[in-house]
Amino acid sequence: MLKGIGTSGGIGIGHVLLIEDFNAKVIDRQPETPDIERKRFLEAKDTFVSSTKEIAANLKEKLGAGDKTALVLQNQIYLINDQELESGIKEGINNGLSAENAVDATCRMYADIFRSMDSEVMNQRVADIEDLKHRILSMLSGNVTVDLSNLEPDTIIVAKQLHPSVTAAMDTKHVVGIIAEKGGETSHAAILARALEIPAVLSVKDACSKIADNESVIVDGEYGEVFLK
């Protein structure tokens, strides 16, 4: 039995889909001119905003128009539209970085600032900025990092950390549980799991190395326990 923090109540019984890394990789490519790199970033930004709005709209449809949980995703739209964040990315491009490296460097800096504030609210900002960064990098590269929109019945997701956008967009009809190495009661992934009524246990130490892909497990989201069959 593994122990973590029960963040969304209920019992889930199913087989594991192990995803250790949701993160897009920074492609080491020779940058074009600053004008071209700025254009690439701005196009990715527009795609990001429209994609986030679509995920939020689909989530509202699942939960009902009066539910406010989709506002969790609005935080990422606020972040990508932040003038200082955009200026930092554009400055990196002007200094000779590719759009990918400028996004990576600027988002890392913001994440470090939020992390240094050592508060639960700022920890959520870290999760949002990391989710935003990897989605933008995926859009710049044209590669889909992880698609959980079409899963087998009775799937239990096991990951190091679940990004809010991934949780909101997953195939909730077939997900019966979530296990992650990071996250807590107030994390955005936990908030989304509760709204979607998916049992979730977060902060399970070394879950990705202790649970095998396709292994049968039981998730107790009330008591924060994971039982390996």
Side-chain angles (χ1 to χ4, degrees):
M1 189 264 283
L2 304 179
K3 185 71 177 173
I5 299 173
T7 60
S8 181
I11 302 291
I13 303 173
H15 58 274
V16 168
L17 176 60
L18 178 62
I19 306 170
E20 293 195 52
D21 192 1
F22 284 93
N23 299 334
K25 306 302 180 187
V26 181
I27 296 176
D28 188 17
R29 53 176 290 278
Q30 189 66 28
E32 304 286 347
T33 65
D35 283 346
I36 291 175
E37 296 299 329
R38 277 194 300 273
K39 184 173 184 291
R40 292 182 64 238
F41 163 65
L42 291 173
E43 287 175 347
K45 175 187 170 182
D46 288 344
T47 302
F48 174 90
V49 171
S50 61
S51 171
T52 305
K53 288 180 177 178
E54 182 179 354
I55 294 170
N58 290 339
L59 186 62
K60 273 190 173 183
E61 188 175 336
K62 289 179 186 177
L63 301 177
D67 192 279
K68 303 297 183 185
T69 309
L71 292 176
V72 166
L73 296 167
Q74 188 66 39
N75 291 328
Q76 295 189 22
I77 295 178
Y78 292 146
L79 279 170
I80 197 62
N81 285 326
D82 181 81
Q83 289 300 310
E84 290 188 15
L85 179 70
E86 184 169 324
S87 294
I89 294 170
K90 288 180 176 177
E91 182 179 355
I93 290 171
N94 290 339
N95 289 333
L97 295 179
S98 66
E100 290 91 339
N101 281 316
V103 167
D104 182 55
T106 304
C107 288
R108 281 178 183 270
M109 181 188 71
Y110 270 72
D112 287 343
I113 292 171
F114 293 147
R115 199 174 284 114
S116 70
M117 294 178 184
D118 195 27
S119 79
E120 189 61 34
V121 172
M122 288 302 107
N123 283 340
Q124 300 321 309
R125 290 289 180 269
V126 173
D128 284 331
I129 201 75
E130 289 180 345
D131 193 5
L132 177 155
K133 179 182 78 169
H134 295 298
R135 291 177 63 206
I136 290 284
L137 290 176
S138 177
M139 290 165 187
L140 284 166
S141 68
N143 295 324
V144 177
T145 51
V146 176
D147 182 5
L148 301 182
S149 62
N150 187 20
L151 301 172
E152 294 182 3
D154 301 326
T155 294
I156 292 178
I157 304 295
V158 178
K160 288 188 180 297
Q161 182 176 18
L162 273 179
H163 291 156
S165 64
V166 174
T167 310
M170 68 173 51
D171 178 6
T172 53
K173 289 181 180 178
H174 294 144
V175 176
V176 295
I178 293 170
I179 303 166
E181 293 185 1
K182 297 181 181 180
E185 183 72 26
T186 61
S187 69
H188 287 165
I191 292 168
L192 288 162
R194 284 195 293 273
L196 294 165
E197 299 181 345
I198 300 172
V201 180
L202 308 185
S203 291
V204 180
K205 186 178 180 181
D206 300 326
C208 291
S209 60
K210 292 180 176 178
I211 305 174
D213 193 43
N214 211 40
E215 184 172 1
S216 295
V217 302
I218 300 172
V219 176
D220 187 335
E222 185 69 29
Y223 292 98
E225 296 173 341
V226 177
F227 299 91
L228 311 182
K229 287 188 175 181

